[in-house]
Amino acid sequence: MPTMEEQTQWKEQVVDHLEIRKAAYQLLVDFLGDTPALESLVSWRNHPELSRLSELSRGARRLREELKLIANQDLYDEFASLREEYRRLFSRGGELPVTPCETMYRASEHMIPKSYAQEVREMYADFSLYFKKMHGEPDDHIAVELEFMAVLIEKMLGTVMNEERYQRYMNGQRDFVLLHLKRWALKFGRDLEQHADHPIYKAIGQLLQDFLAREVEWAEQTGTKQLLQ
């Protein structure tokens, strides 16, 4: 049986792991969910979690360096530039090969077209989550899927977890990574990095690839020991 000290250390490591994962998901949502808010740009430029992510990801380091290069007097111009780039990439007829949703990326897997929006919506509902979309995005939009993961982690951090609830939420995250994000979001990240003109969105594409590769590796592992590695 683990000692009290070992249990405390385990809990601290689990919380630390959850916090850095939540930060990564939230950062990606802030840049992929809508035209970035000026407040988000300022916040992430000085965010301590971005510094931590920079130790794990080349994309995060690249993003941090780009944000640090923005002088205070240039913030609004950079904000306007990012909004224009978002519209160019993600509006109808934008520059990406296909729209940023799972159904379109996985269309080649099936002879008969299949919508993944209903499938992920059912997974959201399993955790009593329903997302309001500002512009009618489908439930399998990249930002909605990433936000689902961020919210699950936030619920774990903000709620007292017994063993059964803990396992349910962790298994829900693992399943979602393996059944959905692994199957298309890495390719979306590559496409974003390739097709973006703005260096910040190129960095976001690389960060998405770096981070999800780690998430897939984590999800494919089993047991507490692997979780803490």
Side-chain angles (χ1 to χ4, degrees):
M1 176 178 293
T3 66
M4 184 66 69
E5 181 179 352
E6 288 172 332
Q7 289 178 337
T8 300
Q9 183 183 26
W10 177 83
K11 289 177 182 178
E12 289 175 350
Q13 288 176 297
V14 169
V15 168
D16 184 71
H17 186 243
L18 290 172
E19 286 178 341
I20 195 70
R21 291 177 61 231
K22 179 194 168 189
Y25 278 115
Q26 189 59 57
L27 187 160
L28 291 165
V29 169
D30 286 347
F31 282 88
L32 296 174
D34 196 3
T35 53
L38 182 59
E39 294 80 3
S40 294
L41 189 63
V42 173
S43 174
W44 284 110
R45 188 171 65 145
N46 302 299
H47 205 296
E49 293 292 3
L50 182 53
S51 297
R52 295 181 65 201
L53 283 168
S54 298
E55 299 172 4
L56 305 173
S57 160
R58 288 184 302 166
R61 286 195 298 276
R62 186 176 176 185
L63 176 61
R64 184 167 179 258
E65 290 167 2
E66 291 294 338
L67 292 175
K68 288 293 185 182
L69 288 174
I70 306 171
N72 287 335
Q73 64 268 25
D74 297 331
L75 271 171
Y76 191 81
D77 288 342
E78 193 69 24
F79 164 63
S81 176
L82 283 168
R83 289 173 65 87
E84 183 60 33
E85 176 73 334
Y86 184 92
R87 291 192 199 93
R88 185 184 73 83
L89 289 169
F90 300 115
S91 64
R92 293 183 184 276
E95 297 293 327
L96 290 182
V98 293
T99 55
C101 63
E102 184 174 357
T103 294
M104 296 300 292
Y105 264 84
R106 298 181 64 181
S108 62
E109 294 182 16
H110 309 282
M111 295 294 292
I112 300 175
K114 174 180 178 178
S115 171
Y116 286 94
Q118 178 62 35
E119 202 169 289
V120 297
R121 193 180 304 125
E122 290 173 0
M123 294 190 76
Y124 304 160
D126 285 343
F127 291 89
S128 302
L129 294 176
Y130 305 89
F131 296 97
K132 292 182 179 179
K133 277 79 73 176
M134 295 181 64
H135 305 293
E137 300 89 346
D139 282 294
D140 61 344
H141 188 281
I142 183 66
V144 183
E145 293 198 4
L146 296 173
E147 186 174 6
F148 171 64
M149 292 292 291
V151 172
L152 284 190
I153 296 169
E154 184 176 20
K155 283 180 173 291
M156 292 187 71
L157 290 168
T159 308
V160 176
M161 288 273 162
N162 58 30
E163 180 65 20
E164 180 180 357
R165 186 176 174 85
Y166 173 86
Q167 291 298 336
R168 178 171 179 265
Y169 272 74
M170 293 306 293
N171 289 336
Q173 292 169 58
R174 289 191 182 99
D175 289 347
F176 198 77
V177 168
L178 297 177
L179 295 175
H180 294 283
L181 292 173
K182 176 185 176 181
R183 306 293 295 273
W184 77 282
L186 285 161
K187 185 176 187 302
F188 171 80
R190 290 193 294 272
D191 288 340
L192 177 58
E193 184 181 10
Q194 176 185 348
H195 290 271
D197 288 338
H198 199 294
I200 285 180
Y201 270 103
K202 284 187 175 294
I204 290 292
Q206 186 177 16
L207 170 58
L208 181 60
Q209 295 170 73
D210 295 344
F211 175 64
L212 284 183
R214 292 178 66 90
E215 285 288 275
V216 169
E217 182 180 5
W218 163 76
E220 290 175 339
Q221 296 171 340
T222 55
T224 302
K225 180 177 179 180
Q226 286 85 350
L227 169 65
L228 299 178
Q229 289 177 341

